[in-house]
């Protein structure tokens, strides 16, 4: 089983990555994160050398990149935690929220549908 976890360097995604990597050693966990101001790979140090874990830096809204990644990795499951999540920032800069949270989710859904 190969699982794509997006936003795995963030708060919720990071906890999910720890849980999955440790609880399911037979599953391959691929963490895709753009490492925005909210992303922090330090919290993933305890799992970074595990054989069932891999980090990929990238943007969920980058359609060619995501399509290539899905083609190459052939994920069984996608769990999307990649997001602009801080509400106060959405007031000063709403564009990036639409880009990541709406367009990025659409790209992931299309990529998953193409693989089905
Ligand atoms: N934190 C909470 O209490 C909570 C509660 C309920 C739901 N959620 C939801 O869970 C999701 C994650 O929340 P969080 O608190 O972990 O957020 P977070 O801001 O801590 O983490 C978001 C992660 O997404 C990454 N990211 C941002 N844009 C990206 C992009 N374009 N491509 C790839 N990676 C990108 C960031 O680098 C970061 O690592 C959000 O959808 C949020 O609304 C959070």
């Amino acid at each position: 089983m190969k699982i794509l976890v997006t936003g795995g360097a963030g708060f919720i995604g990071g906890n999910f990555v720890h849980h999955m990597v440790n609880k399911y050693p037979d599953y391959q966990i691929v963490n895709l994160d753009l490492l925005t101001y909210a992303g922090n790979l330090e919290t993933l140090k305890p799992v970074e050398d595990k054989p069932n874990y891999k980090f990929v830096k990238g943007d969920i809204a980058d359609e060619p990149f995501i399509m290539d990644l899905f083609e190459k990795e052939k994920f069984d499951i996608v769990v999307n935690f990649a997001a602009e999540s801080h509400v106060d920032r959405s007031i000063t800069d709403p564009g990036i929220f639409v880009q990541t949270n709406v367009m990025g989710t659409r790209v992931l859904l299309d990529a998953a549908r193409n693989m089905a």
Side-chain angles (χ1 to χ4, degrees):
M1 182 78 71
K2 191 181 276 192
I3 303 177
L4 173 65
V5 181
T6 69
F11 176 53
I12 304 279
N15 282 283
F16 184 74
V17 166
H18 275 283
H19 176 77
M20 296 301 287
V21 168
N22 289 314
K23 182 154 187 187
Y24 301 100
D26 294 338
Y27 292 3
Q28 292 297 312
I29 308 298
V30 178
N31 171 17
L32 168 70
D33 198 296
L34 186 57
L35 298 180
T36 68
Y37 74 91
N40 181 7
L41 285 180
E42 281 299 306
T43 58
L44 293 164
K45 282 256 179 253
V47 298
E48 71 180 11
D49 292 327
K50 302 255 181 179
N52 64 330
Y53 172 76
K54 180 163 84 174
F55 174 72
V56 177
K57 184 174 180 191
D59 184 348
I60 61 165
D62 181 343
E63 191 156 4
F65 165 76
I66 291 292
M67 293 299 170
D68 281 355
L69 184 71
F70 274 64
E71 189 63 43
K72 197 172 78 186
E73 298 280 1
K74 309 217 181 308
F75 300 113
D76 298 295
I77 293 175
V78 179
V79 184
N80 180 26
F81 296 107
E84 288 294 332
S85 64
H86 292 188
V87 174
D88 287 356
R89 295 172 68 98
S90 72
I91 297 163
T92 53
D93 187 9
I96 190 64
F97 281 71
V98 174
Q99 178 67 10
T100 295
N101 300 358
V102 180
M103 300 308 292
T105 302
R106 194 277 299 166
V107 169
L108 290 174
L109 287 169
D110 275 348
R113 188 179 54 181
N114 285 349
M115 295 305 297

